[in-house]
mmCIF file with all atom_site columns, all heavy atoms in Angstrom:
data_model
loop_
_atom_site.group_PDB
_atom_site.id
_atom_site.type_symbol
_atom_site.label_atom_id
_atom_site.label_alt_id
_atom_site.label_comp_id
_atom_site.label_asym_id
_atom_site.label_entity_id
_atom_site.label_seq_id
_atom_site.pdbx_PDB_ins_code
_atom_site.Cartn_x
_atom_site.Cartn_y
_atom_site.Cartn_z
_atom_site.occupancy
_atom_site.B_iso_or_equiv
_atom_site.pdbx_formal_charge
_atom_site.auth_seq_id
_atom_site.auth_comp_id
_atom_site.auth_asym_id
_atom_site.auth_atom_id
_atom_site.pdbx_PDB_model_num
ATOM 1   N N   . PHE M 1 163 ? 18.767 49.234 3.282   1.00 89.00 ? 163 PHE M N   1
ATOM 2   C CA  . PHE M 1 163 ? 19.353 50.569 3.388   1.00 89.00 ? 163 PHE M CA  1
ATOM 3   C C   . PHE M 1 163 ? 20.864 50.525 3.398   1.00 89.00 ? 163 PHE M C   1
ATOM 4   O O   . PHE M 1 163 ? 21.532 51.425 2.881   1.00 89.00 ? 163 PHE M O   1
ATOM 5   C CB  . PHE M 1 163 ? 18.820 51.269 4.643   1.00 89.00 ? 163 PHE M CB  1
ATOM 6   C CG  . PHE M 1 163 ? 19.209 52.706 4.751   1.00 89.00 ? 163 PHE M CG  1
ATOM 7   C CD1 . PHE M 1 163 ? 18.493 53.683 4.068   1.00 89.00 ? 163 PHE M CD1 1
ATOM 8   C CD2 . PHE M 1 163 ? 20.292 53.099 5.536   1.00 89.00 ? 163 PHE M CD2 1
ATOM 9   C CE1 . PHE M 1 163 ? 18.849 55.019 4.166   1.00 89.00 ? 163 PHE M CE1 1
ATOM 10  C CE2 . PHE M 1 163 ? 20.648 54.424 5.641   1.00 89.00 ? 163 PHE M CE2 1
ATOM 11  C CZ  . PHE M 1 163 ? 19.930 55.398 4.949   1.00 89.00 ? 163 PHE M CZ  1
ATOM 12  N N   . GLN M 1 164 ? 21.436 49.457 3.969   1.00 91.00 ? 164 GLN M N   1
ATOM 13  C CA  . GLN M 1 164 ? 22.890 49.317 4.062   1.00 91.00 ? 164 GLN M CA  1
ATOM 14  C C   . GLN M 1 164 ? 23.507 48.761 2.775   1.00 91.00 ? 164 GLN M C   1
ATOM 15  O O   . GLN M 1 164 ? 24.735 48.704 2.666   1.00 91.00 ? 164 GLN M O   1
ATOM 16  C CB  . GLN M 1 164 ? 23.247 48.409 5.241   1.00 91.00 ? 164 GLN M CB  1
ATOM 17  C CG  . GLN M 1 164 ? 22.859 48.968 6.582   1.00 91.00 ? 164 GLN M CG  1
ATOM 18  C CD  . GLN M 1 164 ? 23.562 50.285 6.900   1.00 91.00 ? 164 GLN M CD  1
ATOM 19  O OE1 . GLN M 1 164 ? 24.732 50.454 6.592   1.00 91.00 ? 164 GLN M OE1 1
ATOM 20  N NE2 . GLN M 1 164 ? 22.822 51.215 7.488   1.00 91.00 ? 164 GLN M NE2 1
ATOM 21  N N   . SER M 1 165 ? 22.696 48.393 1.793   1.00 92.00 ? 165 SER M N   1
ATOM 22  C CA  . SER M 1 165 ? 23.222 47.723 0.604   1.00 92.00 ? 165 SER M CA  1
ATOM 23  C C   . SER M 1 165 ? 23.774 48.702 -0.422  1.00 92.00 ? 165 SER M C   1
ATOM 24  O O   . SER M 1 165 ? 23.359 49.857 -0.517  1.00 92.00 ? 165 SER M O   1
ATOM 25  C CB  . SER M 1 165 ? 22.128 46.869 -0.052  1.00 92.00 ? 165 SER M CB  1
ATOM 26  O OG  . SER M 1 165 ? 21.164 47.692 -0.676  1.00 92.00 ? 165 SER M OG  1
ATOM 27  N N   . ALA M 1 166 ? 24.708 48.184 -1.214  1.00 92.00 ? 166 ALA M N   1
ATOM 28  C CA  . ALA M 1 166 ? 25.227 48.945 -2.349  1.00 92.00 ? 166 ALA M CA  1
ATOM 29  C C   . ALA M 1 166 ? 24.116 49.185 -3.378  1.00 92.00 ? 166 ALA M C   1
ATOM 30  O O   . ALA M 1 166 ? 24.118 50.199 -4.075  1.00 92.00 ? 166 ALA M O   1
ATOM 31  C CB  . ALA M 1 166 ? 26.413 48.203 -2.984  1.00 92.00 ? 166 ALA M CB  1
ATOM 32  N N   . ASP M 1 167 ? 23.171 48.273 -3.471  1.00 93.00 ? 167 ASP M N   1
ATOM 33  C CA  . ASP M 1 167 ? 22.044 48.440 -4.396  1.00 93.00 ? 167 ASP M CA  1
ATOM 34  C C   . ASP M 1 167 ? 21.234 49.680 -4.048  1.00 93.00 ? 167 ASP M C   1
ATOM 35  O O   . ASP M 1 167 ? 20.790 50.405 -4.936  1.00 93.00 ? 167 ASP M O   1
ATOM 36  C CB  . ASP M 1 167 ? 21.131 47.212 -4.375  1.00 93.00 ? 167 ASP M CB  1
ATOM 37  C CG  . ASP M 1 167 ? 21.651 46.060 -5.221  1.00 93.00 ? 167 ASP M CG  1
ATOM 38  O OD1 . ASP M 1 167 ? 22.673 46.237 -5.924  1.00 93.00 ? 167 ASP M OD1 1
ATOM 39  O OD2 . ASP M 1 167 ? 21.031 44.985 -5.181  1.00 93.00 ? 167 ASP M OD2 1
ATOM 40  N N   . PHE M 1 168 ? 21.016 49.936 -2.753  1.00 93.00 ? 168 PHE M N   1
ATOM 41  C CA  . PHE M 1 168 ? 20.288 51.141 -2.352  1.00 93.00 ? 168 PHE M CA  1
ATOM 42  C C   . PHE M 1 168 ? 21.056 52.380 -2.801  1.00 93.00 ? 168 PHE M C   1
ATOM 43  O O   . PHE M 1 168 ? 20.482 53.306 -3.377  1.00 93.00 ? 168 PHE M O   1
ATOM 44  C CB  . PHE M 1 168 ? 20.046 51.156 -0.838  1.00 93.00 ? 168 PHE M CB  1
ATOM 45  C CG  . PHE M 1 168 ? 19.490 52.461 -0.353  1.00 93.00 ? 168 PHE M CG  1
ATOM 46  C CD1 . PHE M 1 168 ? 18.203 52.862 -0.674  1.00 93.00 ? 168 PHE M CD1 1
ATOM 47  C CD2 . PHE M 1 168 ? 20.262 53.305 0.440   1.00 93.00 ? 168 PHE M CD2 1
ATOM 48  C CE1 . PHE M 1 168 ? 17.681 54.069 -0.238  1.00 93.00 ? 168 PHE M CE1 1
ATOM 49  C CE2 . PHE M 1 168 ? 19.758 54.515 0.883   1.00 93.00 ? 168 PHE M CE2 1
ATOM 50  C CZ  . PHE M 1 168 ? 18.468 54.906 0.544   1.00 93.00 ? 168 PHE M CZ  1
ATOM 51  N N   . ARG M 1 169 ? 22.363 52.395 -2.553  1.00 93.00 ? 169 ARG M N   1
ATOM 52  C CA  . ARG M 1 169 ? 23.176 53.564 -2.962  1.00 93.00 ? 169 ARG M CA  1
ATOM 53  C C   . ARG M 1 169 ? 23.123 53.740 -4.481  1.00 93.00 ? 169 ARG M C   1
ATOM 54  O O   . ARG M 1 169 ? 22.987 54.863 -4.979  1.00 93.00 ? 169 ARG M O   1
ATOM 55  C CB  . ARG M 1 169 ? 24.612 53.403 -2.455  1.00 93.00 ? 169 ARG M CB  1
ATOM 56  C CG  . ARG M 1 169 ? 24.713 53.522 -0.936  1.00 93.00 ? 169 ARG M CG  1
ATOM 57  C CD  . ARG M 1 169 ? 26.140 53.545 -0.416  1.00 93.00 ? 169 ARG M CD  1
ATOM 58  N NE  . ARG M 1 169 ? 26.861 52.303 -0.617  1.00 93.00 ? 169 ARG M NE  1
ATOM 59  C CZ  . ARG M 1 169 ? 26.740 51.219 0.139   1.00 93.00 ? 169 ARG M CZ  1
ATOM 60  N NH1 . ARG M 1 169 ? 25.897 51.214 1.153   1.00 93.00 ? 169 ARG M NH1 1
ATOM 61  N NH2 . ARG M 1 169 ? 27.451 50.136 -0.113  1.00 93.00 ? 169 ARG M NH2 1
ATOM 62  N N   . GLU M 1 170 ? 23.192 52.640 -5.224  1.00 90.00 ? 170 GLU M N   1
ATOM 63  C CA  . GLU M 1 170 ? 23.099 52.703 -6.677  1.00 90.00 ? 170 GLU M CA  1
ATOM 64  C C   . GLU M 1 170 ? 21.730 53.205 -7.107  1.00 90.00 ? 170 GLU M C   1
ATOM 65  O O   . GLU M 1 170 ? 21.610 54.019 -8.029  1.00 90.00 ? 170 GLU M O   1
ATOM 66  C CB  . GLU M 1 170 ? 23.378 51.331 -7.293  1.00 90.00 ? 170 GLU M CB  1
ATOM 67  C CG  . GLU M 1 170 ? 22.987 51.160 -8.746  1.00 90.00 ? 170 GLU M CG  1
ATOM 68  C CD  . GLU M 1 170 ? 23.676 52.104 -9.742  1.00 90.00 ? 170 GLU M CD  1
ATOM 69  O OE1 . GLU M 1 170 ? 24.691 52.751 -9.374  1.00 90.00 ? 170 GLU M OE1 1
ATOM 70  O OE2 . GLU M 1 170 ? 23.181 52.209 -10.886 1.00 90.00 ? 170 GLU M OE2 1
ATOM 71  N N   . GLY M 1 171 ? 20.674 52.736 -6.460  1.00 92.00 ? 171 GLY M N   1
ATOM 72  C CA  . GLY M 1 171 ? 19.318 53.161 -6.795  1.00 92.00 ? 171 GLY M CA  1
ATOM 73  C C   . GLY M 1 171 ? 19.132 54.652 -6.594  1.00 92.00 ? 171 GLY M C   1
ATOM 74  O O   . GLY M 1 171 ? 18.533 55.342 -7.441  1.00 92.00 ? 171 GLY M O   1
ATOM 75  N N   . VAL M 1 172 ? 19.619 55.178 -5.486  1.00 93.00 ? 172 VAL M N   1
ATOM 76  C CA  . VAL M 1 172 ? 19.511 56.617 -5.209  1.00 93.00 ? 172 VAL M CA  1
ATOM 77  C C   . VAL M 1 172 ? 20.330 57.414 -6.230  1.00 93.00 ? 172 VAL M C   1
ATOM 78  O O   . VAL M 1 172 ? 19.860 58.407 -6.785  1.00 93.00 ? 172 VAL M O   1
ATOM 79  C CB  . VAL M 1 172 ? 19.953 56.933 -3.768  1.00 93.00 ? 172 VAL M CB  1
ATOM 80  C CG1 . VAL M 1 172 ? 20.081 58.436 -3.540  1.00 93.00 ? 172 VAL M CG1 1
ATOM 81  C CG2 . VAL M 1 172 ? 18.977 56.315 -2.763  1.00 93.00 ? 172 VAL M CG2 1
ATOM 82  N N   . GLN M 1 173 ? 21.554 56.951 -6.501  1.00 93.00 ? 173 GLN M N   1
ATOM 83  C CA  . GLN M 1 173 ? 22.414 57.646 -7.474  1.00 93.00 ? 173 GLN M CA  1
ATOM 84  C C   . GLN M 1 173 ? 21.778 57.651 -8.864  1.00 93.00 ? 173 GLN M C   1
ATOM 85  O O   . GLN M 1 173 ? 21.792 58.658 -9.557  1.00 93.00 ? 173 GLN M O   1
ATOM 86  C CB  . GLN M 1 173 ? 23.808 56.999 -7.506  1.00 93.00 ? 173 GLN M CB  1
ATOM 87  C CG  . GLN M 1 173 ? 24.833 57.804 -8.255  1.00 93.00 ? 173 GLN M CG  1
ATOM 88  C CD  . GLN M 1 173 ? 25.114 59.147 -7.578  1.00 93.00 ? 173 GLN M CD  1
ATOM 89  O OE1 . GLN M 1 173 ? 25.145 59.256 -6.357  1.00 93.00 ? 173 GLN M OE1 1
ATOM 90  N NE2 . GLN M 1 173 ? 25.296 60.182 -8.371  1.00 93.00 ? 173 GLN M NE2 1
ATOM 91  N N   . ALA M 1 174 ? 21.215 56.526 -9.260  1.00 93.00 ? 174 ALA M N   1
ATOM 92  C CA  . ALA M 1 174 ? 20.556 56.443 -10.569 1.00 93.00 ? 174 ALA M CA  1
ATOM 93  C C   . ALA M 1 174 ? 19.348 57.375 -10.622 1.00 93.00 ? 174 ALA M C   1
ATOM 94  O O   . ALA M 1 174 ? 19.109 58.035 -11.649 1.00 93.00 ? 174 ALA M O   1
ATOM 95  C CB  . ALA M 1 174 ? 20.123 54.999 -10.856 1.00 93.00 ? 174 ALA M CB  1
ATOM 96  N N   . PHE M 1 175 ? 18.603 57.475 -9.539  1.00 92.00 ? 175 PHE M N   1
ATOM 97  C CA  . PHE M 1 175 ? 17.458 58.377 -9.472  1.00 92.00 ? 175 PHE M CA  1
ATOM 98  C C   . PHE M 1 175 ? 17.928 59.833 -9.633  1.00 92.00 ? 175 PHE M C   1
ATOM 99  O O   . PHE M 1 175 ? 17.346 60.585 -10.421 1.00 92.00 ? 175 PHE M O   1
ATOM 100 C CB  . PHE M 1 175 ? 16.719 58.195 -8.139  1.00 92.00 ? 175 PHE M CB  1
ATOM 101 C CG  . PHE M 1 175 ? 15.562 59.122 -7.962  1.00 92.00 ? 175 PHE M CG  1
ATOM 102 C CD1 . PHE M 1 175 ? 14.351 58.853 -8.588  1.00 92.00 ? 175 PHE M CD1 1
ATOM 103 C CD2 . PHE M 1 175 ? 15.667 60.259 -7.177  1.00 92.00 ? 175 PHE M CD2 1
ATOM 104 C CE1 . PHE M 1 175 ? 13.270 59.707 -8.450  1.00 92.00 ? 175 PHE M CE1 1
ATOM 105 C CE2 . PHE M 1 175 ? 14.595 61.116 -7.020  1.00 92.00 ? 175 PHE M CE2 1
ATOM 106 C CZ  . PHE M 1 175 ? 13.390 60.841 -7.665  1.00 92.00 ? 175 PHE M CZ  1
ATOM 107 N N   . ILE M 1 176 ? 18.981 60.198 -8.933  1.00 92.00 ? 176 ILE M N   1
ATOM 108 C CA  . ILE M 1 176 ? 19.512 61.569 -9.007  1.00 92.00 ? 176 ILE M CA  1
ATOM 109 C C   . ILE M 1 176 ? 20.014 61.869 -10.406 1.00 92.00 ? 176 ILE M C   1
ATOM 110 O O   . ILE M 1 176 ? 19.793 62.956 -10.937 1.00 92.00 ? 176 ILE M O   1
ATOM 111 C CB  . ILE M 1 176 ? 20.646 61.760 -7.960  1.00 92.00 ? 176 ILE M CB  1
ATOM 112 C CG1 . ILE M 1 176 ? 20.039 61.740 -6.556  1.00 92.00 ? 176 ILE M CG1 1
ATOM 113 C CG2 . ILE M 1 176 ? 21.411 63.057 -8.218  1.00 92.00 ? 176 ILE M CG2 1
ATOM 114 C CD1 . ILE M 1 176 ? 21.077 61.647 -5.437  1.00 92.00 ? 176 ILE M CD1 1
ATOM 115 N N   . GLU M 1 177 ? 20.669 60.894 -11.027 1.00 95.00 ? 177 GLU M N   1
ATOM 116 C CA  . GLU M 1 177 ? 21.239 61.081 -12.368 1.00 95.00 ? 177 GLU M CA  1
ATOM 117 C C   . GLU M 1 177 ? 20.236 60.811 -13.489 1.00 95.00 ? 177 GLU M C   1
ATOM 118 O O   . GLU M 1 177 ? 20.603 60.893 -14.660 1.00 95.00 ? 177 GLU M O   1
ATOM 119 C CB  . GLU M 1 177 ? 22.461 60.163 -12.526 1.00 95.00 ? 177 GLU M CB  1
ATOM 120 C CG  . GLU M 1 177 ? 23.601 60.531 -11.584 1.00 95.00 ? 177 GLU M CG  1
ATOM 121 C CD  . GLU M 1 177 ? 24.746 59.536 -11.618 1.00 95.00 ? 177 GLU M CD  1
ATOM 122 O OE1 . GLU M 1 177 ? 24.709 58.565 -12.414 1.00 95.00 ? 177 GLU M OE1 1
ATOM 123 O OE2 . GLU M 1 177 ? 25.701 59.730 -10.827 1.00 95.00 ? 177 GLU M OE2 1
ATOM 124 N N   . ILE M 1 178 ? 19.021 60.483 -13.131 1.00 94.00 ? 178 ILE M N   1
ATOM 125 C CA  . ILE M 1 178 ? 17.948 60.191 -14.083 1.00 94.00 ? 178 ILE M CA  1
ATOM 126 C C   . ILE M 1 178 ? 18.393 59.146 -15.111 1.00 94.00 ? 178 ILE M C   1
ATOM 127 O O   . ILE M 1 178 ? 18.419 59.364 -16.309 1.00 94.00 ? 178 ILE M O   1
ATOM 128 C CB  . ILE M 1 178 ? 17.432 61.479 -14.776 1.00 94.00 ? 178 ILE M CB  1
ATOM 129 C CG1 . ILE M 1 178 ? 17.142 62.550 -13.729 1.00 94.00 ? 178 ILE M CG1 1
ATOM 130 C CG2 . ILE M 1 178 ? 16.171 61.181 -15.585 1.00 94.00 ? 178 ILE M CG2 1
ATOM 131 C CD1 . ILE M 1 178 ? 16.823 63.913 -14.327 1.00 94.00 ? 178 ILE M CD1 1
ATOM 132 N N   . ARG M 1 179 ? 18.780 57.988 -14.586 1.00 92.00 ? 179 ARG M N   1
ATOM 133 C CA  . ARG M 1 179 ? 19.207 56.863 -15.410 1.00 92.00 ? 179 ARG M CA  1
ATOM 134 C C   . ARG M 1 179 ? 18.702 55.582 -14.797 1.00 92.00 ? 179 ARG M C   1
ATOM 135 O O   . ARG M 1 179 ? 18.240 55.562 -13.655 1.00 92.00 ? 179 ARG M O   1
ATOM 136 C CB  . ARG M 1 179 ? 20.731 56.823 -15.557 1.00 92.00 ? 179 ARG M CB  1
ATOM 137 C CG  . ARG M 1 179 ? 21.450 56.595 -14.233 1.00 92.00 ? 179 ARG M CG  1
ATOM 138 C CD  . ARG M 1 179 ? 22.942 56.345 -14.432 1.00 92.00 ? 179 ARG M CD  1
ATOM 139 N NE  . ARG M 1 179 ? 23.659 56.310 -13.175 1.00 92.00 ? 179 ARG M NE  1
ATOM 140 C CZ  . ARG M 1 179 ? 23.704 55.264 -12.356 1.00 92.00 ? 179 ARG M CZ  1
ATOM 141 N NH1 . ARG M 1 179 ? 23.097 54.130 -12.674 1.00 92.00 ? 179 ARG M NH1 1
ATOM 142 N NH2 . ARG M 1 179 ? 24.389 55.309 -11.232 1.00 92.00 ? 179 ARG M NH2 1
#
Side-chain angles (χ1 to χ4, degrees):
F163 187 82
Q164 296 298 321
S165 72
D167 279 354
F168 171 69
R169 291 187 294 281
E170 165 61 14
V172 170
Q173 192 64 38
F175 178 79
I176 291 169
E177 295 173 3
I178 311 172
R179 63 171 172 80

